[in-house]
Amino acid sequence: MLNCAILTSKRVLFYISFYRPSTLINHLIIVSFLFPNDVPQVTAALVATAHQRGLEVLVWVLKKESFDHVQAWNTLAGRGVDLFTSDLPTEAFEWWQQRRELKLLQLKLMKQKQAQRRRAMPAVPMPSSSPPSSPPLSPSSSPSYSPQLHNKTLTTIQEGREKAFDDPFGAMTPPDGSVVFTSSHSTTTECLRSCCAPDRFRSSATAGDLILSLPTSPSYFGNFNAGVAAAAAASRRRRATASSRGPASSLTNFDCGIGTGQKLKPMPKFRRPWNEGSAAHANLLVSTGNRTSSE
Amino acid sequence: MKFFGHRGASAREAENTLASLSRALAESDGAEFDVQRTSDNVLVVLHDDTLARTAVAWNNNNSLSEAEYFEVVNTPVNLLSWATVRSIRVGKPHAPFTLSTPQHALEDAAESKSEYASDILACNNNKHTEEEDGQLLMTLPEALTLLVEQHPSKTYLVEVKGGDLEAAPLVARDIARSGATPQQARLIGFDLATMCAVKQFLPLYHCSHIVHQDEDAEATEALVHAAADAGLDSVDLKACPITVTPIELSC
């Protein structure tokens, strides 16, 4: 009779061999296998705890000879680990390359979908270098704006005079049309272009714009929303000032600040540009003076 | 999940060397390496406190005697000048043997065909003067130049050795001079106080606390919370991430 048993730990094997020797039979086939739930150290729960506290999780292995292999990398990737430090054995390059190619393929597919979506939408002129006397930025004033053509990622809710946009960063976009999204980062630009209402997207800033630069990685979405609210408040203050003193004449650049969302401070200047693929920054242009939309 | 080379590509190249870092930058998302401070405040890319484990030779032009050489490689790096450290060439680690292992023990090991011992004996017999023996150590600015100029889309994990608070401003100085962005250079370290100091000097750069994982999950979680409370950006878990358990199939 074929008797086959799968033992999940040495403890069980010891128990059976000691107390139930009859259950052990002729030969054992030992298969090296991973048991993610057995004496765990980097658990999914631990990774989740760290992520909840705003921390990334990096892992490197103490016993590298035993744990630096494809199965371990796949397991850790599945548990949400952000970064793994390997000695890069020979199989590492192939594994890394495969994952990279897969990621590039996913990105390509996403871009194709976005392009298809854009083609489906009517052409909307980009008011990229519009003079201060350009038309207001509110969606309702744009003759080619057609909410029906937006897909699920862009929902326009009209309740009386209020409009809200379900943009990828949350639903706190002020309804008065005073905030316009733009970005100098290509990935973010693509995201904004495809997900924001065309009226709310502009490729560059012009004089009189207040810019709030906000991190847009997923973990910072909360801050982004808070930043939008701060931008709206700043916009209202500016408009009040502008109405009495005339329109603002120069760009103002702020960084919303990670962690607070409300704290405005001068944006640091770096000697080198931010890298592609890094945590992106999206700029919120808050139109001021006579470029603002009517409320 | 980002995939980084530990001490460069240390499985295939001598750790923390130009060859190792170059390979890691070419074949993964980035490279991790360690920095030690010399007596004249130069940050050198090196893991151990001394050169004993990795030294294989000295430079041709160096006038060190054999006795001086052994003294240098067994002296803590923070007591040596950069010029002295630079005179030593490093290669693949000799563990479990070191250059201070007695000759007769090495010979015994060589007879038993130990890989490392025969390497050391070969170096000893050549008096470590061959150019191809080992590589020169790098400074942190040299390593950063390699990244910024040749692999700008990749990232370094720079490990600041624990307890050396004086290294914090030096790390900040070298990174600022190199022009490496926060996406190109991230800092890690075992000592929470040191990492907090680094974070103060480089507030926009990602700083991580390396945590020795405990069997007690709550203890590990407490360390995670401590890192968050200290204002750091990540935890680096030094751990056995998974347990390899054999499946016994009895048929």
Side-chain angles (χ1 to χ4, degrees):
Chain A
M1 189 181 74
L2 185 68
N3 187 2
C4 186
I6 300 176
L7 306 179
T8 56
S9 75
K10 287 177 181 172
R11 198 173 294 172
V12 178
L13 176 64
F14 172 75
Y15 173 82
I16 292 176
S17 59
F18 191 77
Y19 296 102
R20 301 278 303 277
S22 61
T23 55
L24 288 179
I25 29 184
N26 298 338
H27 45 275
L28 299 172
I29 302 169
I30 307 224
V31 183
S32 213
F33 198 79
L34 298 172
F35 267 93
N37 296 324
D38 194 8
V39 198
Q41 296 245 0
V42 183
T43 61
L46 181 64
V47 173
T49 302
H51 284 169
Q52 279 168 6
R53 292 298 314 265
L55 297 175
E56 284 190 0
V57 178
L58 290 63
V59 171
W60 61 283
V61 289
L62 187 58
K63 295 174 182 173
K64 45 186 177 282
E65 294 84 2
S66 304
F67 299 107
D68 201 3
H69 49 68
V70 173
Q71 285 170 305
W73 306 330
N74 285 333
T75 305
L76 289 169
R79 289 183 192 177
V81 168
D82 299 290
L83 192 154
F84 182 75
T85 311
S86 160
D87 280 356
L88 301 186
T90 46
E91 67 268 27
F93 180 53
E94 195 183 351
W95 182 83
W96 174 73
Q97 215 170 18
Q98 281 175 355
R99 282 176 64 89
R100 195 175 57 161
E101 282 168 8
L102 188 69
K103 210 178 284 179
L104 287 172
L105 190 67
Q106 286 171 341
L107 195 68
K108 196 177 169 185
L109 286 171
M110 196 179 77
K111 281 186 176 176
Q112 280 176 354
K113 278 185 181 176
Q114 287 173 351
Q116 284 171 357
R117 214 179 295 157
R118 272 202 301 275
R119 276 197 294 273
M121 287 195 289
V124 177
M126 289 290 173
S128 56
S129 57
S130 54
S133 58
S134 62
L137 295 164
S138 87
S140 58
S141 66
S142 173
S144 56
Y145 178 70
S146 174
Q148 289 78 16
L149 293 174
H150 288 284
N151 57 26
K152 286 181 183 175
T153 57
L154 173 64
T155 309
T156 304
I157 306 163
Q158 279 188 275
E159 288 180 4
R161 293 174 59 193
E162 287 196 347
K163 291 189 182 77
F165 286 93
D166 185 12
D167 58 60
F169 310 107
M172 287 185 66
T173 310
D176 58 4
S178 62
V179 174
V180 179
F181 296 97
T182 185
S183 173
S184 53
H185 189 279
S186 60
T187 309
T188 313
T189 303
E190 282 305 308
C191 178
L192 291 171
R193 195 192 290 276
S194 64
C195 298
C196 296
D199 315 72
R200 297 253 178 162
F201 181 80
R202 229 176 41 232
S203 58
S204 63
T206 54
D209 288 334
L210 171 68
I211 302 175
L212 279 90
S213 186
L214 304 164
T216 56
S217 67
S219 55
Y220 300 142
F221 279 1
N223 294 329
F224 196 99
N225 287 335
V228 171
S235 169
R236 279 190 285 275
R237 280 199 300 274
R238 277 211 151 198
R239 255 175 282 151
T241 311
S243 61
S244 58
R245 297 181 191 171
S249 58
S250 60
L251 293 178
T252 315
N253 204 349
F254 288 104
D255 187 351
C256 196
I258 297 167
T260 62
Q262 300 286 352
K263 189 178 171 186
L264 301 178
K265 59 184 178 183
M267 189 178 178
K269 297 286 185 288
F270 293 100
R271 284 203 287 158
R272 287 172 189 277
W274 296 84
N275 285 325
E276 195 67 28
S278 62
H281 277 62
N283 295 326
L284 299 180
L285 298 185
V286 183
S287 301
T288 56
N290 56 4
R291 290 191 64 246
T292 55
S293 64
S294 57
E295 285 185 279
Chain B
M1 183 174 75
K2 295 276 184 190
F3 199 57
F4 275 50
H6 178 233
R7 302 180 200 169
S10 54
R12 284 176 285 168
E13 304 286 352
E15 67 182 50
N16 287 336
T17 58
L18 176 64
S20 188
L21 295 184
S22 297
R23 185 184 278 268
L25 291 172
E27 298 186 3
S28 70
D29 294 311
E32 182 266 2
F33 61 82
D34 315 87
V35 288
Q36 297 274 0
R37 187 170 54 90
T38 62
S39 62
D40 48 353
N41 286 335
V42 174
L43 292 172
V44 54
V45 179
L46 180 71
H47 178 267
D48 296 359
D49 294 340
T50 70
L51 292 156
R53 187 175 59 91
T54 49
V56 294
W58 62 72
N59 281 327
N60 276 341
N61 298 332
N62 198 276
S63 57
L64 289 178
S65 68
E66 197 157 338
E68 287 170 329
Y69 172 77
F70 280 96
E71 191 184 334
V72 166
V73 299
N74 286 296
T75 302
V77 169
N78 63 4
L79 300 177
L80 300 172
S81 69
W82 165 237
T84 307
V85 172
R86 185 75 158 187
S87 69
I88 305 296
R89 300 180 77 87
V90 294
K92 289 214 167 189
H94 304 136
F97 303 101
T98 70
L99 288 168
S100 53
T101 305
Q103 186 73 8
H104 61 83
L106 291 173
E107 286 168 357
D108 290 347
E111 280 178 16
S112 63
K113 296 184 179 173
S114 164
E115 179 191 351
Y116 298 122
S118 57
D119 281 353
I120 292 181
L121 275 178
C123 287
N124 282 341
N125 293 336
N126 291 335
K127 295 190 183 303
H128 313 300
T129 53
E130 295 296 327
E131 189 64 33
E132 60 268 25
D133 282 348
Q135 299 181 49
L136 289 173
L137 285 157
M138 302 173 79
T139 61
L140 176 58
E142 287 168 345
L144 288 165
T145 301
L146 171 71
L147 173 81
V148 170
E149 292 185 357
Q150 293 184 34
H151 303 274
S153 64
K154 301 296 175 74
T155 306
Y156 272 152
L157 282 179
V158 183
E159 183 182 331
V160 186
K161 301 312 280 187
D164 189 4
L165 286 169
E166 289 177 43
L170 302 177
V171 170
R173 175 200 65 189
D174 287 351
I175 287 178
R177 283 180 184 170
S178 74
T181 66
Q183 275 63 51
Q184 289 174 322
R186 297 167 62 149
L187 294 310
I188 58 173
F190 278 100
D191 186 58
L192 188 59
T194 304
M195 292 321 296
C196 288
V198 171
K199 185 71 180 172
Q200 281 185 338
F201 282 104
L202 295 166
L204 293 169
Y205 287 73
H206 195 112
C207 290
S208 176
H209 184 213
I210 304 177
V211 174
H212 279 289
Q213 277 208 287
D214 201 289
E215 285 291 332
D216 180 6
E218 284 183 10
T220 304
E221 209 171 299
L223 293 170
V224 169
H225 289 299
D229 294 339
L232 298 186
D233 306 291
S234 60
V235 283
D236 192 351
L237 302 173
K238 182 185 181 184
C240 303
I242 39 187
T243 305
V244 178
T245 308
I247 296 178
E248 284 86 1
L249 291 172
S250 54
C251 299

